[in-house]
Structure formats: C-alpha cells, structure tokens
C-alpha cells in the first residue's frame, strides 16, 4: 500500500483473505477513512488479481495494468509449455474463488509513468508472465519487483518453472532490474525484511552479490 496526499494506492490486490487483511492493515495505520484511489497491477496471476473487481466495486479505484496480461484480467489466460500446470490450477481456482473479470482503466506498457506517491515508472520484466512488470520509484531508488523472485532469507528463490509463462525471458529481466539505480527492492512474496536486505538476496540469487 502506497500513500500520498491524495490517498492510497495498492500494488496488486491480494488473494484469499486479502480484503480482510487489507482492512486490518488500514485500521492499524489509522488510514481506514482515506480513499483507495488506484490499484496498480504487476501481472495477471490469480493470487494478485482475485480481489480487483470487488475492491473496485467497493472503492471506485481505477486500475492500471500491464497490457500484455490482458487475457488474465478477462479470465481467459493461455498457458503453454511448462506453465500449463499453473493454467490448470487457475482454471480450477477461478470458479471456486468466484473470480470476477475486469477491464483496466489504464493499459500499461514499458516505461509508462504514474503520477502517484513519489512517481512510479513501469519496468517490463517478462518471464514470469508476458506482461510481468515491476514499478520503479526513481526518488527512492526502490523497485517493486512483483514475482521476479521470492525473498525468504536463505530460502529465497526464483519462481518455479511451472509458474513462468516465458522462462527464457527471466534471466534478461533479472539483469534489467539489477541494472537500475537501486537502494532496495520490494517483492510481492517475501518476509518482512528491509528493501536493502531483499535487494542483497536478489543480487546473491543472480550471482551478482
Ligand atoms: Zn505470479
């Protein structure tokens, strides 16, 4: 969750129980009466977009989302090769979890910027999905890395092969991310370490410690 003078912005919308967790977090910060203005997506996997439609309905937030994952938001993603397994899991999950499709208000391509928080720039990091996108804040030298890697201390890892739509693009995306001027990174899946600690884990994983 990002906050600026105009309100709150979510990076992705969470999975099962995500709305309850979000409301608890809002209360803990005393932000429960502040408007959620936007939902900024990193990619179209179900564990990131399940709550988009319900949250939009409740808050009226706009949605900005990577264009190349459009089929995911429509509930019709195509998974080929190794990622076929992920496709089967999602196909079972969508009706079970009552996924509602949605159409983003703004389609995001590499290099697009959003004038929220300290300013965010889309950094296309394909591999995990075709549209997979990190969000970079130049002022803070901080990159939201989405699912480029999962950061759990010594158990940090790149996403398993069956979850990557175009694994051949992963390496280039890791290099692209690490070529930015960075003080820290924040992944979607990780423990509560500092952005600096997450960055050193990513560098270690990439063999660039
Ligand atoms: Zn994912």
């Amino acid at each position: 969750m990002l906050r600026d003078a105009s309100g709150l912005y979510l990076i992705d919308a969470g999975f099962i129980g995500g709305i309850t967790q979000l409301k608890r977090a809002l209360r803990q910060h005393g932000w429960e009466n502040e408007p959620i203005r936007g939902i900024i997506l990193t990619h179209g996997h179900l564990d990131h977009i399940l709550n988009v439609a319900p949250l939009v309905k409740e808050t009226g937030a706009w949605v900005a989302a990577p264009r190349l994952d459009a089929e995911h938001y429509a509930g019709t993603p195509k998974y080929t090769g190794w990622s076929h397994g992920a496709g089967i899991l999602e196909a079972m999950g969508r009706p079970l979890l009552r996924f509602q499709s949605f159409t983003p208000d703004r389609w995001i391509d590499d290099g697009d910027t959003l004038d929220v928080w300290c300013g965010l720039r889309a950094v296309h990091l394909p591999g995990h999905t075709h549209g997979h996108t990190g969000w970079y804040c130049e002022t803070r030298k901080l990159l939201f890395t989405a699912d480029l890697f999962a950061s759990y201390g010594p158990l940090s890892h790149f996403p398993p092969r069956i979850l990557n739509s175009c694994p051949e693009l992963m390496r280039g995306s890791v290099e692209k991310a690490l070529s930015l001027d960075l003080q820290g990174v924040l992944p979607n899946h990780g423990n509560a370490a500092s952005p600096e600690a997450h960055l050193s884990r990513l560098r270690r994983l990439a063999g660039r410690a």
Side-chain angles (χ1 to χ4, degrees):
M1 188 159 40
L2 306 176
R3 178 173 178 254
D4 66 18
S6 64
L8 305 169
Y9 304 88
L10 302 179
I11 294 193
D12 293 333
F15 198 35
I16 302 164
I19 294 183
T20 309
Q21 285 178 41
L22 170 66
K23 290 194 170 159
R24 189 184 311 137
L26 287 172
R27 277 195 306 275
Q28 280 167 355
H29 286 84
W31 298 346
E32 65 270 36
N33 294 321
E34 297 195 22
I36 296 177
R37 299 236 181 251
I39 301 172
I40 301 161
L41 295 181
T42 62
H43 65 297
H45 278 163
L46 195 57
D47 59 323
H48 297 246
I49 66 169
L50 179 66
N51 301 319
V52 171
L55 281 172
V56 165
K57 228 164 261 168
E58 190 180 325
T59 66
W62 49 254
V63 178
R67 188 190 303 276
L68 292 176
D69 279 0
E71 290 169 344
H72 294 255
Y73 321 136
T76 56
K78 288 174 191 69
Y79 289 95
T80 53
W82 277 90
S83 68
H84 191 65
I88 293 171
L89 286 176
E90 282 203 356
M92 293 192 307
R94 273 190 301 273
L96 212 63
L97 302 172
R98 296 197 179 82
F99 171 73
Q100 300 165 51
S101 62
F102 60 90
T103 306
D105 303 282
R106 177 147 178 217
W107 294 102
I108 297 299
D109 299 302
D110 188 37
D112 284 352
T113 56
L114 294 178
D115 189 19
V116 303
W117 197 50
C118 310
L120 291 172
R121 188 175 88 226
V123 182
H124 187 212
L125 302 171
H128 186 56
T129 65
H130 289 89
H132 185 267
T133 291
W135 288 95
Y136 179 60
C137 173
E138 203 166 323
T139 325
R140 300 202 176 197
K141 299 185 180 180
L142 178 69
L143 177 69
F144 294 92
T145 48
D147 285 3
L148 189 66
F149 79 118
S151 182
Y152 295 97
L155 299 177
S156 297
H157 58 88
F158 290 121
R161 207 172 176 153
I162 64 146
L163 296 183
N164 296 330
S165 294
C166 31
E168 68 282 2
L169 301 179
M170 283 294 289
R171 185 74 220 182
S173 290
V174 171
E175 295 298 323
K176 183 176 177 182
L178 288 176
S179 72
L180 294 166
D181 185 10
L182 291 174
Q183 247 165 37
V185 301
L186 280 173
N188 273 67
H189 302 280
N191 58 15
S194 67
E196 291 79 8
H198 289 305
L199 174 59
S200 56
R201 290 172 190 170
L202 176 60
R203 286 195 171 128
R204 207 173 316 127
L205 262 184
R208 300 243 311 243

